[in-house]
């Protein structure tokens, strides 16, 4: 009898260990999706407050202290457990809630752009603080979107006792491609089954396969020579600045012999102190971008060789350090397909005449092209949904995002949501104009509905994640294996932007959004929405 009972326990135990969660009937899942979409709609006010608040912080990469503290507080109040300072980055963190599988990561970037400070809702250049950083990329909107979705899905998971873990994480210093490869190296995603990432755009869309963009390495070359009196004894000096200039000349000759898909650009981060002292130290910071790992690596090696050549010509020495890296983007098919169904259900926001008027005025202001690169007419805000796009057939190269490093390790998609105006130049003050207006708020709410309903899909239909790994293992990484550019001990470049934020934070602080006093940030700044022309 006793043996039979232990056998029964043993069988029961092994059943529990191997049992797959039963798929939940579609009708039930559909009802929860409807419920969660209504719940997100009802929280539109929360979305506006979060979006406006992060907009007002305007923090550059690695300096996202206010943004992180603010978002962490909201997540803690909603039952998430926070791990701070992950991957050696003071502003990075991971928020977790739930138990067991599926284990789903939800992320977005949070940093802003140098010299992009701009008042929202006005169709002319008007910085909040002259020369200060600002959200000229729209990274103030993505995490609010994700947080709103996660909080509402969590309520359903709790009530229905659905197993699953939600992990929310910020893309720190995305403009420096400075965090995500480090997260992968440090094992932050090792238990994750799938990742939903969001990025501001001007339509509601998702794609899968090769995204057509470039990966990169971000490298600073530091030259050292010796100083001398520039007039009294210039023959005794070894100019590190000469080395920087010669390296740039060398690289600009090299361009002719690179593939047309490359992008490379540099800024001089140290050009010496004053003209009468031969610069003993100088530095130049390059981004080397290409479409494949091999081509990025080859540019990286060319860069080092040219730097060594410049050092030899000037009798200086050179060392280099890796500050950031990203792989070319490739995204998951199964999750993208599930997400696209939800995109069709949610649709684009209903734009008001004011929203459209602002968009057209901004397009005029920035001399927007008549059509985008895919041939869509640019005229006001998007009113027709993007199609679901698969792998690009051809690309002549483009920007980068280190979300790719996550996507090469865990099935990942990027939801683009319509919080910005089509036809803006990107990384520009004009890209901030929409980002604390009803355009951004509506785009975030619709994006949040898509994320929330896709989460319900993943929690109720295990096949989406099984298929996602099948694509990941048997298609995406079948021939291309992820090789990181990071070494085991490459530190994150957390020192970047420290001085700029120290300079501007005291002034920016005066303009932090106060939702206890003002309904919106536009109201706080005294802006009539929309203001289409500058009044003298
Ligand atoms: Zn971005």
């Amino acid at each position: 009898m006793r043996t039979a009972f232990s056998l029964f326990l043993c069988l029961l135990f092994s059943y529990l260990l191997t049992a797959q969660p039963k798929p939940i009937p579609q009708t039930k899942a559909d009802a929860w999706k409807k419920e969660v979409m209504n719940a997100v709609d009802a929280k539109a006010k929360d979305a506006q407050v979060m979006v406006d608040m992060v907009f007002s912080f305007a923090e550059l990469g690695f300096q996202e202290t206010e943004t992180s503290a603010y978002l962490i507080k909201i997540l803690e109040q909603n039952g998430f457990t926070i791990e701070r300072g992950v991957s050696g980055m003071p502003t990075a963190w991971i928020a977790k809630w739930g138990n067991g599988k599926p284990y789903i990561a939800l992320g977005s970037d949070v940093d802003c752009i140098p010299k992009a400070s701009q008042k929202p809702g006005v169709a002319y250049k008007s910085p909040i603080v002259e020369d200060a950083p600002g959200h000229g990329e729209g990274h103030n909107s993505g995490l609010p979107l994700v947080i709103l979705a996660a909080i509402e899905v969590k309520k359903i998971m709790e009530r229905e006792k659905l197993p699953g873990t939600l992990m929310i994480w910020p893309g720190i210093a995305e403009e420096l491609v400075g965090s995500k490869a480090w997260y992968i190296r440090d094992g932050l995603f090792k238990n994750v089954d799938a990742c939903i990432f969001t990025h501001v755009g001007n339509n509601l869309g998702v794609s899968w396969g090769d995204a057509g963009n470039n990966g990169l390495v971000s490298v600073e070359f530091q030259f050292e020579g010796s100083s001398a009196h520039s007039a009294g004894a210039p023959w005794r000096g070894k100019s590190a600045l000469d080395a920087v200039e010669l390296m740039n000349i060398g690289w600009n000759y090299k361009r002719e012999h690179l593939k047309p898909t490359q992008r490379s650009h540099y800024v001089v981060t140290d050009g010496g102190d004053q003209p009468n002292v031969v610069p003993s130290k100088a530095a130049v910071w390059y981004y080397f971008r290409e479409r494949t790992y091999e081509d990025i690596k080859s540019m990286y090696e060319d860069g080092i060789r040219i730097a060594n050549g410049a050092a030899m010509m000037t009798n200086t020495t050179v060392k280099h350090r890796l500050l950031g890296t990203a792989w070319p983007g490739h995204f998951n098919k199964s999750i993208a397909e599930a997400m696209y169904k939800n995109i069709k259900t949610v649709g684009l926001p209903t734009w008001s005449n004011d929203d459209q008027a602002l968009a057209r005025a901004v397009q005029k202001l920035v001399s927007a092209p008549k059509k985008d690169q895919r041939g869509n007419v640019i005229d006001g805000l998007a009113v027709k949904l993007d199609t679901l796009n698969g792998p690009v057939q051809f690309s002549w190269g483009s920007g980068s995002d280190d979300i790719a490093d996550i996507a090469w390790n865990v099935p990942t998609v990027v939801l683009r949501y319509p919080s910005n105006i089509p036809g803006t130049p990107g990384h520009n003050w004009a890209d901030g104009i929409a980002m604390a207006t009803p355009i951004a708020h509506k785009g975030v709410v619709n994006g949040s509905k898509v994320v929330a309903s896709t989460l319900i899909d993943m929690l109720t239909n295990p096949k989406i994640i099984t298929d996602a790994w099948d694509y990941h293992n048997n298609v995406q990484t079948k021939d291309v294996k992820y090789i990181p550019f990071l070494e085991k001990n490459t530190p994150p470049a957390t020192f970047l932007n420290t001085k700029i934020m120290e300079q501007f934070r005291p002034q920016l602080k005066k303009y932090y959004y106060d939702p206890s006093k003002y309904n919106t940030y536009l109201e706080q700044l005294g802006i009539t929405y929309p203001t289409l022309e500058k009044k003298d």
Side-chain angles (χ1 to χ4, degrees), residues 241-499:
L241 179 61
D242 288 355
V244 163
E245 291 192 82
L246 288 165
M247 173 176 184
N248 295 344
I249 289 166
W251 186 261
N252 287 327
Y253 271 90
K254 178 76 195 169
R255 277 181 204 278
E256 186 190 350
H257 309 289
L258 294 168
K259 294 180 183 173
T261 41
Q262 72 90 23
R263 300 284 191 283
S264 47
H265 16 261
Y266 54 82
V267 292
V268 175
T269 44
D270 180 2
D273 299 304
Q274 54 188 63
N276 65 336
V277 181
V278 171
S280 60
K281 288 191 175 186
V284 59
W285 180 11
Y286 272 78
Y287 277 18
F288 298 119
R289 309 196 201 221
E290 251 295 1
R291 294 271 297 124
T292 65
Y293 169 81
E294 288 74 18
D295 284 343
I296 300 163
K297 186 161 177 277
S298 162
M299 285 173 84
Y300 192 1
E301 287 163 358
D302 287 338
I304 293 169
R305 201 171 45 251
I306 287 171
N308 287 334
M312 198 184 279
M313 281 188 272
T314 50
N315 203 8
T316 59
T317 59
V318 64
K319 43 185 193 176
H320 66 271
R321 55 178 177 180
L322 186 76
L323 301 180
T325 171
W327 258 57
H330 188 124
F331 301 102
N332 192 268
K333 187 179 183 196
S334 149
I335 307 172
E337 285 173 346
M339 181 174 267
Y340 192 69
K341 283 184 196 154
N342 297 319
I343 286 173
K344 283 201 287 190
T345 308
V346 172
L348 287 163
T350 308
W351 307 117
S352 69
N353 290 338
D354 286 344
D355 300 336
Q356 287 289 15
L358 179 68
R360 292 200 171 98
V362 169
Q363 286 161 349
K364 199 173 151 207
L365 172 76
V366 302
S367 310
K370 297 269 176 285
K371 285 181 179 177
D372 68 15
Q373 285 191 13
R374 287 172 48 206
N376 302 312
V377 173
I378 295 176
D379 178 25
L381 298 162
V383 290
K384 193 172 158 259
L385 272 183
D386 259 346
T387 48
L388 174 65
N389 292 301
V392 294
Q393 296 308 308
F394 167 78
S395 165
W396 55 18
S398 172
S400 319
D401 189 329
D402 51 358
I403 186 58
D405 289 68
I406 306 223
W408 280 98
N409 287 279
V410 174
T412 299
V413 293
V414 179
L415 172 74
R416 298 179 301 274
Y417 53 92
S419 283
N420 216 333
I421 296 167
T424 51
H427 293 181
N428 182 281
W429 54 268
D431 287 72
I433 293 173
M435 290 316 304
T437 70
I439 297 172
H441 305 144
K442 290 175 193 175
V444 162
V445 168
N446 282 34
S448 190
K449 285 154 88 169
V450 173
V451 169
S453 40
T454 309
L455 275 174
I456 298 283
D457 284 331
M458 287 173 157
L459 293 166
T460 55
N461 180 5
K463 194 171 178 304
I464 294 171
I465 289 172
T466 321
D467 288 353
W469 279 99
D470 182 46
Y471 178 84
H472 188 81
N473 293 331
N474 301 318
V475 181
Q476 180 177 350
T477 62
K478 186 171 171 260
D479 300 315
V480 182
K481 305 291 176 204
Y482 177 74
I483 307 167
F485 283 103
L486 291 188
E487 309 278 337
K488 227 197 263 168
N489 54 1
T490 312
T494 53
F495 56 88
L496 288 170
N497 294 324
T498 313
K499 281 188 190 149

Side-chain angles (χ1 to χ4, degrees), residues 107-124:
S108 201
D109 304 321
V110 288
D111 58 326
C112 76
I113 299 281
K115 296 192 179 70
S117 178
Q118 169 66 28
K119 285 181 192 145
V122 304
Y124 52 90

Side-chain angles (χ1 to χ4, degrees), residues 158-172:
E158 278 173 324
R159 188 188 69 208
E160 303 292 337
K161 299 189 172 50
L162 289 175
T165 307
L166 303 179
M167 160 178 149
I168 299 179
W169 60 278
I172 292 300

Side-chain angles (χ1 to χ4, degrees), residues 109 111 137-139 174-175 199-200 400-401 427:
D109 304 321
D111 58 326
E137 162 84 4
H139 286 177
E174 189 280 329
E175 297 303 337
H199 196 283
V200 62
S400 319
D401 189 329
H427 293 181

Side-chain angles (χ1 to χ4, degrees), residues 130-150:
E130 188 79 37
D131 290 336
H135 273 288
E137 162 84 4
H139 286 177
N140 59 308
S141 54
L143 265 192
L145 179 162
V146 154
I147 289 172
L148 186 59

